[in-house]
Amino acid sequence: MHPHFQKRIGLLICNLGSPESSEIKDVKRYLKQFLNDPFVFDAPWMIRYPFVNGIILNTRSGKSSEAYRSIWTKDGAPLLFHSQNLLHKLRAQLPIPVELGMRYGKPSIQDAIEKLTKQAVNHIIFLPLYPQYSFSATESAIHEFNEQLSRFNGRISGRIIESFHSHPSFIGALSEKIKTAAETFQPDRIVLSYHGVPVKQLNKTANKTDYQDQCLETSRLLQETLGYPADRMITTFQSRLGPIRWIGPHTDQEMMELPKKGIKRIIVVSPSFTADCLETLEEIQIRYRDLFLKSGGEEFRYVPCLNSSDTFVESIRTIISPFAVK
């Protein structure tokens, strides 16, 4: 950007995305874009393309469609409408233009950038709504953002916020939700279930903090803020897929083991998600709940994500404030 240009700042919040409907054809289209992303399935193209397009899409689309149907609402996909509600609240609270872009599906990151430029924005704060930096989610979104910005040949500049896993406003907002649930429920344990990643993706990007380390730091700060005994909070990782090694301990296995240890009442939180989605509503609230109860558990309570809560809106305002100075 030319030094004498006036900086006109806008905010682009980004989340993963959802299919346009829970029908198989829309889920398949969404999965095709998602699973062909080399940041998500980081195998060579000659392996990834036939495996994804020839096998996975034909075997998983129906099952994924069924999972999406179990959480679909009259307002559509939860991830999308929570993100849109957050967008509307941010627009009401912030003095700068704000747009939403999804890494996959609609509205795209490209759409969001174009909307910002039409509002005379020439400097975009890019905030992926993933608290912890990961190669498969955060780096993919950053790569797409930079690719789209490059089309403007330097006329639009960007500032990327890569993570906010330890930001006091994020920790405070999430702690408040956990505290409210714990006080009314008195669980034997609080399970902090983060999205898992393959072990080979750790330390994949130079000069970036390890995803697993950031998750553990979030857990430590939540435990300190809540003043909850460390041995009564458990950190686990969910959503593993395929035969490769994923970081652990694994949430599904813990759901089966905890009742055997006399732990019958649990609260489950997912601090790696800021909006409720397939992984929190179908995987945790339906499948993991059933697994825990069938394994001898008695009470299972899920704490919803921050979604579009006022505390999360304030968190975002605080997180971006150092970068929103003209």
Side-chain angles (χ1 to χ4, degrees):
M1 186 182 297
H2 196 280
H4 74 260
F5 282 8
Q6 181 183 359
K7 187 188 285 187
R8 294 184 294 272
I9 298 170
L11 172 64
L12 197 171
I13 57 171
C14 173
N15 220 320
L16 197 75
S18 294
E20 291 187 51
S21 80
S22 60
E23 296 300 313
I24 290 179
K25 63 179 177 60
D26 287 328
V27 171
K28 190 172 185 177
R29 185 187 306 120
Y30 172 78
L31 289 177
K32 184 174 183 178
Q33 185 186 10
F34 174 60
L35 294 173
N36 276 293
D37 183 349
F39 288 90
V40 173
F41 187 177
D42 56 333
W45 179 86
M46 291 183 66
I47 296 174
R48 182 178 66 253
Y49 186 86
F51 185 68
V52 168
N53 298 283
I55 300 174
I56 295 293
L57 290 180
N58 292 319
T59 58
R60 289 193 61 85
S61 296
K63 188 175 180 181
S64 293
S65 171
E66 187 178 323
Y68 273 108
R69 276 199 299 275
S70 72
I71 65 160
W72 214 261
T73 75
K74 61 180 178 58
D75 297 315
L79 176 65
L80 182 57
F81 71 69
H82 283 310
S83 299
Q84 289 171 331
N85 289 342
L86 177 64
L87 172 66
H88 298 321
K89 283 193 171 185
L90 287 169
R91 283 174 171 168
Q93 293 288 328
L94 297 178
I96 59 175
V98 188
E99 293 295 343
L100 167 68
M102 295 298 194
R103 177 61 187 90
Y104 313 104
K106 299 175 181 178
S108 68
I109 291 172
Q110 180 181 352
D111 294 336
I113 291 174
E114 288 176 357
K115 287 178 182 177
L116 287 170
T117 59
K118 287 176 181 176
Q119 298 171 74
V121 167
N122 59 18
H123 180 79
I124 301 173
I125 300 170
F126 184 58
L127 178 64
L129 295 175
Y130 316 125
Q132 301 81 20
Y133 168 88
S134 68
F135 179 79
S136 56
T138 317
E139 194 62 31
S140 175
I142 291 171
H143 177 79
E144 177 65 14
F145 175 68
N146 286 332
E147 283 284 300
Q148 294 301 328
L149 273 198
S150 70
R151 296 167 54 239
F152 292 89
N153 298 316
R155 297 191 306 276
I156 310 293
S157 62
R159 179 62 167 85
I160 297 164
I161 299 175
E162 293 181 348
S163 71
F164 49 94
H165 69 286
S166 61
H167 198 286
S169 66
F170 166 67
I171 297 295
L174 193 52
S175 296
E176 188 178 305
K177 294 206 76 162
I178 298 171
K179 183 179 180 183
T180 301
E183 284 177 344
T184 59
F185 184 63
Q186 296 295 310
D188 297 328
R189 294 291 188 277
I190 295 175
V191 179
L192 304 175
S193 178
Y194 296 82
H195 198 286
V197 299
V199 171
K200 69 174 184 174
Q201 286 195 356
L202 298 180
N203 299 310
K204 185 108 178 171
T205 313
N207 304 316
K208 302 288 177 74
T209 310
D210 180 84
Y211 172 75
Q212 189 171 20
D213 289 344
Q214 288 197 0
C215 293
L216 295 174
E217 178 70 357
T218 299
S219 292
R220 185 186 69 78
L221 290 169
L222 287 171
Q223 182 263 319
E224 282 184 3
T225 303
L226 289 163
Y228 214 70
D231 62 351
R232 296 177 71 84
M233 295 183 75
I234 302 168
T235 293
T236 64
F237 297 89
Q238 64 184 82
S239 309
R240 74 188 192 277
L241 179 67
I244 59 175
R245 195 158 68 94
W246 289 64
I247 58 174
H250 306 303
T251 308
D252 54 351
Q253 292 177 352
E254 289 296 310
M255 292 299 108
M256 294 185 285
E257 293 300 320
L258 289 174
K260 297 176 185 176
K261 301 172 184 176
I263 298 164
K264 301 299 182 78
R265 294 164 55 84
I266 63 171
I267 280 177
V268 182
V269 190
S270 196
S272 56
F273 296 96
T274 53
D276 279 307
C277 56
L278 191 71
E279 287 84 355
T280 65
L281 299 174
E282 191 271 339
E283 188 173 2
I284 293 178
Q285 281 221 77
I286 297 176
R287 284 193 279 137
Y288 289 173
R289 177 194 297 273
D290 286 350
L291 199 55
F292 179 71
L293 296 177
K294 286 176 180 176
S295 299
E298 295 172 359
E299 299 277 355
F300 179 108
R301 184 169 295 185
Y302 170 69
V303 177
C305 293
L306 292 172
N307 292 320
S308 60
S309 61
D310 291 342
T311 52
F312 190 39
V313 171
E314 177 59 22
S315 290
I316 292 176
R317 189 194 66 77
T318 307
I319 289 164
I320 70 163
S321 61
F323 313 106
V325 180
K326 294 185 179 181

